[in-house]
């Protein structure tokens, strides 16, 4: 900016300032009157001077003064200023009229001059009033704007505050949403997707695969004998093991695949890549090998294997819901095959699955249709070879399905609760049957009845046994109940109570399938069993290697140390029998001595034995040992 421009700007600003001052919107009447008073004095002075001397120049200066005062009044005070100035000039006009009348020279000139002033101030006032109005309007607008601006500022602040509140509540909502999503979709124990999320993802993956004509595989993973870990080491250790397994599995899982925790000891793996069966097999083998590495829980090392079932999309089924069922049944087949196995789904399993449903239907009417019956397998004293008693085994000869293995239908019956009815029936039949035999032959042998875990853990199991004994009149001292470890829940208390209740009735209790479970020995220490039955799998190995022989003899001596007699089941060879005798095994049961037989065969056997008088009871045999 040049100096000239600066000066020019400065001058304009000064002018505007003066005008602003002059045109102050105040319409102050008293100020206008005060100035008018000055004006009147001025007018008087003017008139006096003009009257006394006719100095033309002085008069002209005074008239200029009057004009300035008039203009100032009109500009400064507008309406009231105008009225005051008008009054002043009218006085001057009247004065001039008087002067004209007395023929004062130049009076008419002054008269016209004052008229001019009146016209000029009228015009000025008119414009001043107009600009004042505009000014007022502008002022009002300015006021409105500033109010609006203030309001806007206030509401902007409020808006900002509200925004902040909204933001923070949004964050809370988002956090809640995430938490809800997590709770609904992530398993809290393993931090893996849960059943719900897996099912949803599976639907999506199935849809995608269908659209893109791709294949994928579904793997069902179930830990073997996990229940035993839970039962012996407690749920906390069980949880720890599941977490450890989940961690290890997810470490080895390919990033493209999805691993989830289906619940309990079940995991599901979705292999999203289109792999060949062989590739899937080697992938799963790697997972299986890793799972078998022992986990350290507290101060214990635990090794758990798993059973795997695999179903392929779309080869096995184009429906994801079916796929899950198929993978599950393939996994079950792995379990049936002896656990720790990997199996692909096959159509024959589908038949199994369908048959299973039909079997359940058939089993429901089996009792009424008299399709169930009992067979008895003899048990002998190892030392003298006398008959000790019989294990009662159930059979189902279905009109529709033919002979169904008890391992199969007992599991089914356990799954749907029918085992309670079947078990009660078996116990009652056993007691009735033996009551008749006893009456007929006067014999007193033990009858060992298998009781399922589901049945044994019924709150009123002991009551049911007592009722049946009462109804049939069967001597409780001739009854033995066989239970397996799977009957034991996490807490030993109910099992203890159940065994004590049976003891009170006079019934003895055997621990069946000893050695197959995870911690048979620890159960033995905690629960008052009367007999231990070593599982057939160990007996089978006798004579095969030194280690197996050692194992069986260790079991026998350890159980004997607890003052409990031992029965070996599934004895098929003389070599096995001789070894067991050598190791002081007390009782023997197996095909070598007799297969499970019908009641009529039992009669024949008892007939044969009737002639041989000497029969020892197990109680006599072991009373010495127990003492
Ligand atoms: P378990 O209690 O271990 O029964 C012994 C099984 O071994 C019986 O099979 C018996 O026939 C078989 N066995 C005995 N000696 C030999 C042998 O020398 N060689 C061979 N190869 N096998 C032998 P079974 O009758 O098929 O019963 C299978 C399972 O079904 C039983 O195993 C038991 O767990 C269950 N079960 C049978 N009857 C009943 C019952 O009335 N109630 C319940 N809850 N379960 C039962
Ligand atoms: Ca048994
Ligand atoms: Ca057994």
């Amino acid at each position: 900016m040049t100096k000239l421009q600066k000066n020019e700007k400065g001058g304009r600003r000064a002018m505007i300032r003066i005008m602003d001052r002059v045109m102050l919107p105040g319409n102050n009447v008293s100020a206008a009157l005060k100035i008018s008073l000055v004006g009147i004095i001025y007018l008087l002075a003017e008139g006096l001077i003009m009257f006394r001397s006719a100095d033309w120049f002085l008069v002209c200066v005074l008239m200029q003064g009057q004009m300035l005062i008039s203009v100032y009044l009109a500009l400064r005070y507008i309406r009231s200023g105008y009225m005051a100035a008008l009054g002043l000039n009218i006085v001057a006009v009247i004065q001039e009229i008087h002067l004209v009348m007395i023929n004062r020279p130049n009076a008419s000139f002054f008269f016209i001059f004052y008229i001019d002033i009146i016209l000029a101030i009228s015009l000025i006032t008119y414009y001043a009033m107009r600009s004042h109005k505009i000014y007022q309007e502008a002022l009002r607008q300015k006021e409105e704007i500033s109010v609006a601006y203030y309001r806007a500022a206030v509401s902007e602040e409020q808006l900002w505050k509200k925004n902040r509140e909204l933001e923070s509540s949004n964050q809370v909502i988002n956090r809640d949403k995430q938490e809800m999503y997590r709770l609904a979709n992530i398993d809290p124990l393993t931090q893996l997707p849960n059943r719900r999320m897996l099912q949803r993802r599976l639907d999506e993956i199935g849809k995608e695969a269908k659209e893109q004509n791709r294949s994928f595989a579904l793997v069902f993973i179930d830990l073997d004998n996990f229940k035993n870990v839970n039962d012996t080491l407690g749920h906390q250790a069980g949880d720890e093991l599941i977490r450890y397994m989940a961690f290890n599995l997810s470490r080895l899982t390919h990033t493209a695949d999805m691993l989830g925790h289906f619940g309990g000891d079940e995991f599901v793996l979705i292999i999203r890549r289109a792999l060949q069966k062989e590739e899937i097999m080697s992938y799963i083998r790697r997972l299986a090998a890793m799972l078998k590495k022992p986990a350290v829980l507290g101060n214990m090392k635990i090794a758990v294997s798993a059973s795997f079932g695999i179903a392929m999309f779309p080869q096995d089924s184009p429906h994801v819901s079916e796929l899950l069922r198929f993978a599950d049944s393939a996994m079950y087949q792995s379990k049936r095959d002896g656990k720790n196995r990997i199996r692909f789904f096959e159509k024959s399993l589908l038949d199994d699955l369908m048959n299973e449903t039909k079997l359940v239907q058939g089993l429901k009417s089996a009792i009424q249709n008299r399709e169930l019956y009992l067979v008895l397998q003899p048990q002998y004293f190892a030392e003298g070879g006398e008959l000790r008693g019989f294990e009662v085994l159930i059979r189902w000869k279905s009109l529709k399905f033919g002979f169904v293995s008890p391992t199969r239908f007992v599991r089914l019956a356990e799954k749907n609760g029918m085992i309670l009815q079947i078990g009660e029936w078996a116990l009652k039949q056993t007691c009735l049957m033996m009551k008749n035999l006893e009456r007929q032959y006067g014999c007193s042998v033990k009858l060992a009845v298998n009781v399922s875990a589901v049945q044994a853990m019924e709150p009123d199991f002991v009551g049911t046994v007592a009722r049946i004994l009462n109804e049939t009149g069967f001597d409780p001292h001739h009854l033995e109940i066989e239970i397996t470890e799977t009957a034991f829940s996490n807490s030993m208390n109910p099992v203890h109570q159940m065994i004590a209740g049976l003891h009170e009735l006079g019934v003895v209790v055997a621990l069946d399938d000893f050695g197959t479970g995870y911690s048979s020995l620890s159960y033995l220490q905690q629960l008052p069993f009367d007999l231990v039955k070593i599982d057939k799998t160990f007996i089978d190995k006798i004579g095969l290697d030194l280690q197996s022989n050692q194992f069986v003899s260790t079991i026998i001596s350890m159980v004997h140390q607890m003052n409990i007699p031992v029965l070996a089941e599934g004895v098929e060879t003389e070599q096995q029998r001789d070894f067991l005798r050598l190791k002081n095994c007390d009782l023997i049961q197996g095909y070598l001595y007799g297969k499970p037989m019908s009641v009529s065969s039992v009669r024949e056997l008892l007939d044969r034995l009737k002639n041989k008088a000497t029969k020892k009871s197990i109680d006599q045999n072991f009373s010495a040992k127990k003492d």
Side-chain angles (χ1 to χ4, degrees), residues 176-244:
D176 285 357
K177 256 195 204 160
Q178 277 173 7
E179 188 56 24
M180 267 163 65
Y181 178 84
R182 237 175 51 77
L183 284 177
N185 296 292
I186 303 293
D187 170 60
L189 178 65
T190 57
Q191 298 302 318
L192 288 175
N194 64 10
R195 189 191 199 106
R196 185 189 138 105
M197 186 171 182
L198 272 171
Q199 223 126 22
R200 224 192 23 238
R201 290 291 295 132
L202 196 61
D203 287 342
E204 288 164 11
I205 290 166
K207 222 184 249 171
E208 261 173 42
K210 226 177 244 178
E211 280 165 11
Q212 296 164 11
N213 219 2
R214 275 194 303 111
S215 66
F216 71 91
L218 188 71
V219 188
F220 216 101
I221 308 166
D222 191 296
L223 302 186
D224 296 331
N225 303 325
F226 173 73
K227 192 179 174 297
N228 291 328
V229 177
N230 245 357
D231 291 351
T232 34
L233 303 177
H235 279 284
Q236 222 171 347
D239 283 357
E240 200 53 52
L241 184 68
I242 292 286
R243 245 200 305 269
Y244 176 78

Side-chain angles (χ1 to χ4, degrees), residues 377 391 393-395 406-407 410 450-452 512-513 536 569-572 590-591 596:
Q377 187 177 26
E391 176 177 4
L393 296 157
I394 197 162
R395 295 286 176 263
T407 333
V410 165
N450 290 288
V451 167
S452 142
D512 201 359
D513 304 335
K536 184 179 178 300
E569 29 172 23
V571 181
E572 290 179 343
Y591 290 178

